[in-house]
Amino acid sequence: KDLDFPTAEVKLGELRQAIEQQMSVPKAKQSMICAGRRWQGLAFDDGLLVTEAAGAKGMKEVDGVKVIHLMLMAPAGIDGTEEVSRLEAQILEAHGIVETLPKATAEETQKAALLAHDLITKASTGLDNLDLVGAQRERRRDLLAQIEALERN
């Protein structure tokens, strides 16, 4: 993923914050490698400029623009995308059940309502238990708002 910054005077702390916001990888779990060097420890604190950290070996010129290629290393699934998608599917299933309620008999309506409530409760609990940052945190807020709307119906 390409991250663009308005100036070349970007500090590592700003880069880490952008990765957290746009890619949902917590700062504590980020590990970066550039030109064969791992950026960690006291030598790579948040105040260091990215251009200084990359050095001459890490900075390339592409079409007249200076570019730094980094490899972000993080544990698999750290952004929570798969879990949020699974819970979103439960919410969509509950929404489909609620949509069919007016066409059902009283007994079917009660069973369907209980099933929808169970799905919503499980999804809500699952979303509450996730430790998310950045874009996935915003996605969770949207899903919780959908759950509240379903509960009102």
Side-chain angles (χ1 to χ4, degrees):
K1 178 170 172 109
D2 291 340
L3 300 176
D4 293 321
F5 294 95
T7 68
E9 301 297 314
V10 178
K11 296 182 178 174
L12 280 178
E14 295 168 349
L15 174 63
R16 290 182 176 119
Q17 181 67 30
I19 290 170
E20 183 176 83
Q21 290 300 314
Q22 296 178 29
M23 300 173 72
S24 300
V25 177
K27 290 180 190 177
K29 302 292 182 178
Q30 296 176 13
S31 177
M32 293 179 270
I33 298 174
C34 178
R37 288 181 38 204
R38 184 179 295 264
W39 290 5
Q40 67 182 19
L42 295 175
F44 295 97
D45 70 335
D46 285 351
L48 183 66
L49 291 174
V50 173
T51 52
E52 291 175 11
K57 284 178 59 179
M59 200 174 333
K60 308 286 185 224
E61 193 163 328
V62 178
D63 296 330
V65 178
K66 291 186 177 184
V67 177
I68 299 173
H69 292 280
L70 295 172
M71 181 169 35
L72 175 65
M73 307 274 287
I78 193 70
D79 63 353
T81 302
E82 295 84 13
E83 188 66 17
V84 173
S85 295
R86 185 183 66 77
L87 296 169
E88 182 178 30
Q90 287 181 345
I91 295 167
L92 292 174
E93 183 180 351
H95 184 66
I97 291 169
V98 170
E99 293 288 319
T100 62
L101 286 180
K103 303 171 194 154
T105 64
E107 186 177 321
E108 291 172 338
T109 300
Q110 185 178 8
K111 286 180 182 179
L114 287 173
L115 177 60
H117 179 71
D118 184 53
L119 288 170
I120 289 171
T121 302
K122 286 179 182 177
S124 179
T125 303
L127 288 168
D128 285 343
N129 291 333
L130 292 176
D131 186 23
L132 302 172
V133 295
Q136 292 302 321
R137 182 180 285 169
E138 295 302 318
R139 189 174 168 202
R140 174 177 52 193
R141 282 190 192 123
D142 293 341
L143 291 173
L144 289 172
Q146 289 179 27
I147 288 173
E148 287 178 19
L150 274 173
E151 288 174 338
R152 283 192 292 259
N153 291 339

